[in-house]
Amino acid sequence: MAMGRAERSLHLTSEERMQLDSIASSRSVPAALVRRARIILMTEDGVSDRQAAKRLQVTQPTVSMWRRRFRVARIAGLHDELRPGRPRTHDEERLDGLLNTALSSKPKADRHWSVRTLGEVTGISKTTVQRYLSLFGVQPHRTKSFKLSNDPFLVEKVREIVGLYLNPPQNALVLCVDEKSQCQALERTQPVLPMGLGYVEGITHDYVRHGTTTLFAALDIANGEVLAQCKRRHRHQEYLSFLRHIDQNVPEQLDVHLIVDNYATHKHPKVRAWLARRRCFHVHYTPTYASWLNQVERWFGLITHQAIRRGSFKSVPDLVRRIERYVKYYNAHARPFIWTATAHSILEKVERLCKVINGTQH
């Protein structure tokens, strides 16, 4: 018998990788199952067991165990084993029929299935249908939006930007730059009802608009700090002014790599001319419909959720002051976002999605 270490690769099929990606990105399946799927994906993408354990906050033996179980039982091995209890009422054939009905067909009158309509068709109680759908993460009542990039240079741009994230150049600063336009100064028509024991914070559904501001931001991927300015309008003049602000706050001896989207303001002739006169500035454009590649978008989500959305502002200056306080506090406790996806894994996911859309999975 041949002795030695077991083969490292689990030889994922395209269908298995697609299912693991779906589980790993789902918010509806149990967190433990999501973690196990991420273990398989990360280790198959070249991450060592030790690194995967550190990133997912588990032990190295846990990573090894789930890889062993996947090698033996594939995706089924990631689910918890059966525990002692009352025997199942419905056998595998009936369960398969329920899942096939939910995934492969549509009801006659409705656009999507509900637990009641599935129960009527399959003869299973709605409570049991709900339990099985929750167990397998099937949500026929929900949809998720997506948009594939039609950029002819998608592959080159993804590799270029992800390369900056995973392997930043020496003696250079990588900044993710963008603007959040139309930040509204909304004043609630009545005072906010504070949270108390037994009830949540309350705000009125109606409000008074006092105007808007545009938030320009540049996120340093190395330390997570943000350089931000609020401006009244959103034109190439304001963008140029913010670029000058960046230029004044960056050490002269460093090259500056700017990651920006394809908004027309960023490609204005005056902006291009200004950048051309500064050899230390290098611009990297995200692919069309792929602003999610820009890490500053994640920061815009944070400031919207934590400082803007639930606020009540009596004027635009009041909103600007709140934004400035948030930026100051955030920079005092800044931590960089950890980018883990490789360009290869991103492009593989795009390819799988294209095949599913076109019905050519095989």
Side-chain angles (χ1 to χ4, degrees), residues 53-316:
K54 185 177 180 180
R55 293 181 186 178
L56 298 174
Q57 298 182 345
V58 296
T59 63
Q60 190 172 342
T62 299
V63 175
S64 301
M65 178 192 71
W66 289 113
R67 282 181 56 82
R68 286 196 303 271
R69 286 186 56 168
F70 186 88
R71 190 183 298 276
V72 173
R74 312 310 291 178
I75 291 180
L78 301 182
H79 293 272
D80 292 324
E81 296 178 348
L82 294 177
R83 292 178 171 83
R86 191 183 72 173
R88 288 174 51 184
T89 306
H90 306 289
D91 56 18
E92 294 290 341
E93 184 176 351
R94 200 162 188 189
L95 176 57
D96 288 343
L98 169 64
L99 295 177
N100 286 331
T101 301
L103 296 174
S104 305
S105 64
K106 298 286 185 182
K108 294 181 179 179
D110 301 328
R111 184 69 183 90
H112 58 77
W113 291 107
S114 67
V115 293
R116 288 177 175 80
T117 53
L118 276 172
E120 292 172 358
V121 171
T122 60
I124 302 174
S125 70
K126 64 181 183 64
T127 305
T128 303
V129 171
Q130 171 64 37
R131 187 167 65 250
Y132 281 134
L133 294 185
S134 177
L135 176 64
F136 288 93
V138 178
Q139 301 180 36
H141 63 291
R142 294 185 61 189
T143 60
K144 184 178 181 181
S145 60
F146 74 98
K147 182 71 174 181
L148 289 175
S149 174
N150 58 4
D151 196 314
F153 300 103
L154 170 67
V155 174
E156 292 81 359
K157 290 181 177 179
V158 168
R159 288 175 176 169
E160 182 179 324
I161 293 174
V162 173
L164 288 174
Y165 290 158
L166 297 180
N167 189 23
Q170 297 293 328
N171 300 320
L173 198 64
V174 180
L175 299 177
C176 296
V177 180
D178 203 358
E179 53 278 314
K180 180 176 175 61
S181 61
Q182 301 295 315
C183 298
Q184 298 188 78
L186 304 179
E187 181 182 9
R188 304 294 170 178
T189 57
Q190 295 176 1
V192 176
L193 178 66
M195 179 179 60
L197 298 176
Y199 57 88
V200 299
E201 180 182 80
I203 57 175
T204 60
H205 68 280
D206 55 343
Y207 44 79
V208 177
R209 292 188 177 95
H210 292 296
T212 62
T213 187
T214 296
L215 171 61
F216 289 81
L219 172 73
D220 185 348
I221 70 166
N223 55 27
E225 292 185 359
V226 176
L227 193 65
Q229 278 188 331
C230 288
K231 298 184 180 296
R232 293 182 59 185
R233 301 182 67 180
H234 183 208
R235 305 169 301 171
H236 75 274
Q237 292 94 326
E238 285 75 24
Y239 181 58
L240 260 179
S241 175
F242 184 61
L243 289 179
R244 296 189 184 100
H245 182 60
I246 293 176
D247 193 22
Q248 293 170 1
N249 287 272
V250 171
E252 294 182 359
Q253 69 274 18
L254 295 181
D255 283 347
V256 181
H257 292 264
L258 303 178
I259 298 175
V260 298
D261 61 24
N262 292 275
Y263 190 64
T265 297
H266 303 158
K267 297 183 176 180
H268 193 277
K270 291 185 179 180
V271 173
R272 290 181 179 272
W274 187 89
L275 291 169
R277 292 193 298 267
R278 287 158 178 81
R279 295 184 178 180
C280 62
F281 277 77
H282 310 275
V283 182
H284 308 270
Y285 294 102
T286 62
T288 54
Y289 307 121
S291 59
W292 48 267
L293 272 174
N294 197 332
Q295 290 191 29
V296 76
E297 296 292 347
R298 178 79 283 271
W299 185 81
F300 282 147
L302 290 177
I303 192 172
T304 301
H305 177 71
Q306 298 175 359
I308 299 177
R309 180 174 295 154
R310 288 168 57 175
S312 181
F313 309 100
K314 297 181 179 180
S315 63
V316 173

